[in-house]
Amino acid sequence: MYYTYVLQSQQKDILYKGSTANLELRIQQHNDGLVSFTKKYRPWKLVYHEIFATRAEAMAREKFFKSGKGRDWIKENIIKAS
């Protein structure tokens, strides 16, 4: 099982999109400062995730989230809903 996820910084208005096979561990790594980009914007909270059967599917969805259309989708479906 693989996950694509969106984190939101509790410090600044920043979103981080990623994919992983272990969602709980990956979020902990972000909050422990083990990921260079997210280190300076801690703490992070999980605002959205999706589950996929393959790594390729999860990575494709992550790529979409990082595109212009994907960022718009996140704003419309996740951020406005919060």
Side-chain angles (χ1 to χ4, degrees):
M1 198 172 331
Y2 295 88
Y3 303 87
T4 298
Y5 61 93
V6 179
L7 301 178
Q8 185 172 32
S9 172
Q10 299 300 293
Q11 184 185 129
K12 277 190 142 184
D13 189 25
I14 295 175
L15 297 175
Y16 180 88
K17 302 94 170 173
S19 58
T20 185
N22 187 331
L23 186 58
E24 288 182 25
L25 175 62
R26 191 63 176 152
I27 294 168
Q28 188 63 49
Q29 290 172 336
H30 286 292
N31 282 317
D32 287 346
L34 301 176
V35 180
S36 61
F37 176 81
T38 59
K39 185 176 186 176
K40 57 190 166 238
Y41 303 111
R42 296 178 289 165
W44 292 90
K45 120 178 141 168
L46 180 67
V47 292
Y48 185 75
H49 74 281
E50 294 179 357
I51 303 170
F52 297 93
T54 68
R55 183 172 182 250
E57 290 171 311
M59 292 178 72
R61 188 64 167 168
E62 175 187 353
K63 186 175 180 177
F64 169 74
F65 282 160
K66 292 179 176 180
S67 72
K69 287 183 181 182
R71 286 190 297 271
D72 290 344
W73 188 91
I74 289 169
K75 286 176 188 171
E76 288 296 317
N77 296 286
I78 299 169
I79 302 307
K80 281 189 177 180
S82 298

